[in-house]
Amino acid sequence: MPSYTVTVATGSQWFAGTDDYIYLSLVGSAGCSEKHLLDKPFYNDFERGAVDSYDVTVDEELGDIQLVKIEKRKYWIHDDWYLKYITLKTPYGDYIEFPCYRWITGEGEIVLRDGCAKLACDDQIHILKQHRRKELETRQKQYRWMEWNPGFPLSIDAKYHKDLPRDIQFDSEKGVDFVLNYSKAMENLFINRFMHMFQSSWSDFADFEKIFVKISNTISERVMKHWQEDLMFGYQFLNGCNPVLIQRCTKLPKKFPVTTEMVECSLERELTLEQEMEQGNIFIVDFELLDGIDANKTDPCTLQFLAAPICLLYKNLANKIVPIAIQLNQVPGDKNPIFLPSDAKYDWLLAKIWVRSSDFHVHQTITHLLRTHLVSEVFGIAMYRQLPAVHPIFKLLVAHVRFTIAINTKAREQLICEYGLFDKAIKARGMDSTEDIPYYFYRDDGLLVWEAIKTFTAEVVGIYYKSDQVVAEDQELQDFVKDVYVYGMRGKKTSGFPKSIKTREKLSEYLTVVIFTASAQHAAVNFGQYDWCSWIPNAPPTMRAPPPTAKGVVTIEQIVDTLPDRGRSCWHLGAVWALSQFQDNELFLGMYPEEHFIEKPVKEAMARFRKNLDTIVSVIAERNKNKKLPYYYLSPDRIPNSVAI
């Protein structure tokens, strides 16, 4: 009688093992086996991290093995089991890999296909077509779209983390990290004693050091020392937490009536403001998005205020970006003066603080939450709904949506866009010239990582899609793209997302957007938050007085009373510290420990991808040598694979 050797790998995360009964059935082209209990006498099977082998003898020839069915039945109490993969050695000595990387819960079962990636057109056997269809039907019932807030991309239909499908919930240790990170921050930062001091102002700027100096680093210390300087203010629009707002200004908006006379003391080339604009030396950041938005009213004891400033910046003769004019609200007028570097010291400083506070709000809500977290969640939901596990695009993307839906659900539970190509987005803002703007490291490093990802996705696309026609006719792929557009982006053409993809080049580009957004873009705007936002006056999360309406009246006492109180400052510091930490088990860009792909050409493409990323790491490390403000957020060894914090 034919005998098979079955090797079963259990996950190594907490509580991955099981004491339940595990049964295996083999489905072949010539027949199906009986159900076999996988059990070795006097042995604890399926322990966490274990790789167990079993001999399975069948009554008759099964032909080519097409499916493996795993069933879990209760032994004593139900416990979930994380199955990594099954390897089958046939009676003829062949090895077949069946990747799983899923949880089996309750008295559940999973039917696995072998690991070869297949498009729907590659499946000619009825049972495999049926398996493909049933998997998607099941997933579409589990992964449902829901409107979280009007105007936002749709999200997963789950109110609490515990309501999510088990496969996308946090591993236990990840969940513990999430819960403990904030309390760790409070403990590590030694700020518990200030936590309840709401409505209590700091006495002066130096007073903020009481919560700052316990944990600091090269960048945060430099921010503390130099935050009042115009050079530091301008630099952050290029390489701080929010390096995506600055754009070249070729014509001043009518709502911002800056004249040459106002700023001539800041212009170093003996040109008019108009001539400086013509030469490409003037830049603008407009926070119009904040206009008309009500400030947070969650604390009835503290009034909070928002502004919608416009900031004009200048590239000086040293090619550094500095501010030359700030208007704190959108409508010009006597009560909305244009503040200048030539104004009184504290007038100009408070105007810059208002810009930094506005930048913090746009960064958190748009740059960070919307354009990385929520957009990546859209990709994840659409992937699970429309791409079966055997599809090559599922295998490519699954590592890049790991824990994203979970972290967003946690955020919606406890806390609380646009489709664009990186290089084109940079060009659209007039920020593409490395000669004109030589210190824009976010752009330089981002382009290197973008190209590495694009090269990799193009290789994978080329392996499975032999022509543009195959792309256009892949209905599962088209359904995935349509789901993103219709549900995630609410069918808005202005989102820039396509309804369909017809060519291999466009598919590669699309996949690059998905992976870059989930990895590099999120890293660029997330992991520098402690560096740039831990010195509270440099990134105030709230302002307790309205913007000034006249010049010559601002005092240091007024500024301190406008900045966050002691309690809120501590909450803010704990939050940015927690958000900036990597997880202990972090998977960085190019790391694919779950072997969803088994084909050699893809594994070789992955190896080339990692080699390209290693080269980028070396380039960035060399550039950062001896820099007082190193930029490392887009070094691939610091870019997690997915949005998971």
Side-chain angles (χ1 to χ4, degrees):
M1 292 188 292
S3 181
Y4 295 81
T5 300
V6 178
T7 301
V8 181
T10 297
S12 56
Q13 57 268 67
W14 289 359
F15 310 116
T18 184
D19 290 325
D20 282 355
Y21 296 113
I22 303 299
Y23 296 91
L24 175 137
S25 308
L26 302 176
V27 179
S29 57
C32 302
S33 75
E34 295 291 323
K35 192 160 64 173
H36 293 268
L37 175 65
L38 300 182
D39 181 53
K40 288 186 277 191
F42 310 110
Y43 178 76
N44 203 344
D45 306 274
F46 314 117
E47 287 293 284
R48 173 186 170 198
V51 178
D52 302 315
S53 292
Y54 304 88
D55 291 324
V56 173
T57 302
V58 298
D59 295 333
E60 56 188 4
E61 287 286 347
L62 300 178
D64 296 331
I65 300 300
Q66 296 166 338
L67 300 171
V68 168
K69 181 186 287 188
I70 296 289
E71 296 180 54
K72 185 166 77 70
R73 297 291 176 255
K74 185 168 82 169
Y75 167 66
W76 179 245
I77 56 170
H78 280 307
D79 53 2
D80 298 345
W81 178 42
Y82 189 85
L83 173 60
K84 289 173 65 177
Y85 61 82
I86 287 176
T87 302
L88 202 64
K89 182 182 178 184
T90 72
Y92 309 103
D94 299 322
Y95 286 86
I96 309 173
E97 297 178 49
F98 295 84
C100 181
Y101 302 104
R102 291 171 57 190
W103 290 92
I104 305 178
T105 60
E107 297 214 333
E109 66 178 44
I110 284 183
V111 181
L112 302 176
R113 289 185 56 159
D114 76 80
C116 291
K118 295 283 180 67
L119 301 176
C121 62
D122 298 326
D123 278 339
Q124 302 301 322
I125 300 171
H126 174 72
I127 193 171
L128 298 181
K129 290 182 177 181
Q130 186 181 46
H131 176 268
R132 200 175 188 114
R133 188 182 69 251
K134 282 187 175 180
E135 181 182 11
L136 290 182
E137 287 174 354
T138 300
R139 289 233 215 98
Q140 285 166 13
K141 292 174 183 175
Q142 292 178 312
Y143 296 82
R144 302 173 306 278
W145 295 105
M146 176 190 74
E147 183 178 71
W148 170 48
N149 263 331
F152 277 88
L154 295 190
S155 57
I156 192 78
D157 184 7
K159 190 173 182 181
Y160 302 107
H161 176 263
K162 63 181 175 60
D163 301 330
L164 294 171
R166 183 66 181 91
D167 288 327
I168 61 169
Q169 290 183 24
F170 284 134
D171 291 340
S172 295
E173 63 262 47
K174 180 80 179 185
V176 168
D177 284 345
F178 181 84
V179 171
L180 291 184
N181 255 357
Y182 196 84
S183 53
K184 278 184 192 173
M186 298 298 104
E187 180 183 341
N188 291 340
L189 296 165
F190 299 96
I191 55 179
N192 281 319
R193 62 197 173 104
F194 297 110
M195 286 302 296
H196 304 293
M197 298 176 70
F198 292 100
Q199 290 84 53
S200 171
S201 294
W202 302 94
S203 56
D204 53 30
F205 292 142
D207 205 19
F208 282 96
E209 292 186 44
K210 290 179 180 176
I211 62 167
F212 175 78
V213 295
K214 299 299 182 182
I215 292 184
S216 56
N217 58 38
T218 304
I219 294 178
S220 60
E221 285 183 357
R222 195 161 183 83
V223 170
M224 180 188 73
K225 291 175 183 175
H226 300 280
W227 71 281
Q228 297 187 43
E229 298 170 13
D230 289 353
L231 282 172
M232 177 63 81
F233 179 89
Y235 179 87
Q236 292 179 74
F237 284 114
L238 298 178
N239 301 306
C241 274
N242 200 18
V244 299
L245 298 185
I246 187 170
Q247 53 187 317
R248 199 183 294 273
C249 180
T250 55
K251 184 181 179 182
L252 279 175
K254 290 182 181 179
K255 64 184 180 180
F256 194 27
V258 182
T259 65
T260 298
E261 291 70 31
M262 289 179 180
V263 297
E264 59 185 347
C265 63
S266 299
L267 306 181
E268 300 179 353
R269 296 177 177 85
E270 297 185 2
L271 302 173
T272 66
L273 181 58
E274 288 71 23
Q275 289 170 328
E276 293 278 16
M277 281 191 282
E278 288 172 8
Q279 292 201 4
N281 298 323
I282 303 296
F283 300 85
I284 194 168
V285 179
D286 188 350
F287 295 93
E288 183 179 17
L289 193 66
L290 297 176
D291 191 32
I293 292 179
D294 290 333
N296 194 336
K297 293 184 174 65
T298 54
D299 180 2
C301 300
T302 304
L303 285 174
Q304 300 180 62
F305 298 88
L306 286 174
I310 312 171
C311 180
L312 204 65
L313 300 119
Y314 176 62
K315 186 186 72 173
N316 64 21
L317 288 173
N319 284 325
K320 301 296 175 66
I321 302 293
V322 293
I324 59 173
I326 294 171
Q327 181 178 288
L328 293 181
N329 281 300
Q330 294 287 307
V331 180
D334 294 340
K335 297 286 188 180
N336 188 23
I338 295 174
F339 292 93
L340 307 167
S342 54
D343 290 339
K345 174 183 176 181
Y346 292 131
D347 283 2
W348 181 235
L349 181 60
L350 183 55
K352 289 191 293 180
I353 290 173
W354 269 105
V355 172
R356 294 294 308 135
S357 181
S358 299
D359 188 73
F360 177 83
H361 289 296
V362 170
H363 165 260
Q364 292 294 357
T365 55
I366 305 301
T367 308
H368 184 204
L369 175 64
L370 174 62
R371 291 184 177 165
T372 63
H373 276 257
L374 299 185
V375 169
S376 291
E377 179 177 359
V378 164
F379 295 138
I381 298 169
M383 180 199 77
Y384 280 110
R385 285 174 53 82
Q386 304 298 351
L387 298 176
V390 73
H391 198 290
I393 304 305
F394 179 94
K395 291 172 179 282
L396 176 66
L397 295 184
V398 66
H400 299 288
V401 298
R402 180 174 179 259
F403 298 139
T404 299
I405 300 172
I407 193 74
N408 288 356
T409 304
K410 275 283 188 185
R412 285 189 289 268
E413 180 182 334
Q414 297 180 351
L415 308 172
I416 19 184
C417 176
E418 77 199 72
Y419 170 82
L421 310 182
F422 186 78
D423 50 351
K424 289 182 181 176
I426 295 287
K427 286 177 182 175
R429 294 189 286 117
M431 302 297 293
D432 53 308
S433 173
T434 55
E435 188 175 322
D436 281 352
I437 314 163
Y439 302 110
Y440 197 11
F441 306 126
Y442 162 76
R443 170 202 60 204
D444 301 338
D445 300 352
L447 286 170
L448 292 175
V449 175
W450 173 273
E451 288 302 322
I453 295 172
K454 190 173 181 183
T455 299
F456 173 52
T457 60
E459 286 191 58
V460 175
V461 167
I463 291 168
Y464 295 102
Y465 294 90
K466 298 307 180 187
S467 68
D468 291 343
Q469 182 180 354
V470 180
V471 172
E473 293 178 355
D474 181 355
Q475 192 57 50
E476 291 169 341
L477 171 66
Q478 301 305 329
D479 289 343
F480 163 66
V481 173
K482 185 179 178 182
D483 239 33
V484 169
Y485 178 77
V486 172
Y487 297 105
M489 299 304 140
R490 316 295 290 266
K492 293 180 180 176
K493 292 181 181 178
T494 52
S495 70
F497 279 82
K499 296 178 184 177
S500 61
I501 292 177
K502 303 298 184 185
T503 68
R504 294 193 294 176
E505 182 183 359
K506 288 296 183 185
L507 175 55
S508 171
E509 207 171 67
Y510 190 94
L511 296 172
T512 304
V513 169
V514 176
I515 295 173
F516 186 90
T517 300
S519 57
Q521 185 62 22
H522 180 256
V525 303
N526 181 73
F527 291 102
Q529 291 190 76
Y530 187 81
D531 292 348
W532 297 102
C533 303
S534 57
W535 181 246
I536 307 297
N538 188 59
T542 184
M543 299 288 264
R544 295 183 293 146
T549 57
K551 295 187 180 185
V553 296
V554 177
T555 64
I556 179 69
E557 291 78 16
Q558 183 182 340
I559 293 178
V560 172
D561 286 342
T562 299
L563 289 169
D565 58 35
R566 293 171 186 250
R568 230 169 236 92
S569 297
C570 294
W571 281 110
H572 168 81
L573 189 58
V576 297
W577 186 86
L579 287 169
S580 300
Q581 304 307 303
F582 295 121
Q583 301 298 324
D584 291 339
N585 61 344
E586 199 74 77
L587 297 177
F588 294 97
L589 190 60
M591 295 170 61
Y592 297 100
E594 294 185 352
E595 294 192 47
H596 292 274
F597 283 113
I598 66 168
E599 297 93 327
K600 187 178 179 182
V602 187
K603 292 189 175 184
E604 290 172 345
M606 287 178 173
R608 286 189 291 273
F609 181 37
R610 283 190 289 270
K611 188 175 180 181
N612 287 343
L613 295 175
D614 289 342
T615 301
I616 295 171
V617 170
S618 300
V619 168
I620 293 174
E622 183 65 29
R623 194 263 324 279
N624 281 337
K625 274 184 180 176
N626 304 317
K627 276 202 176 298
K628 293 177 180 176
L629 279 175
Y631 186 84
Y632 42 71
Y633 310 117
L634 285 172
S635 182
D637 59 345
R638 300 176 68 93
I639 300 176
N641 254 337
S642 62
V643 176
I645 186 65

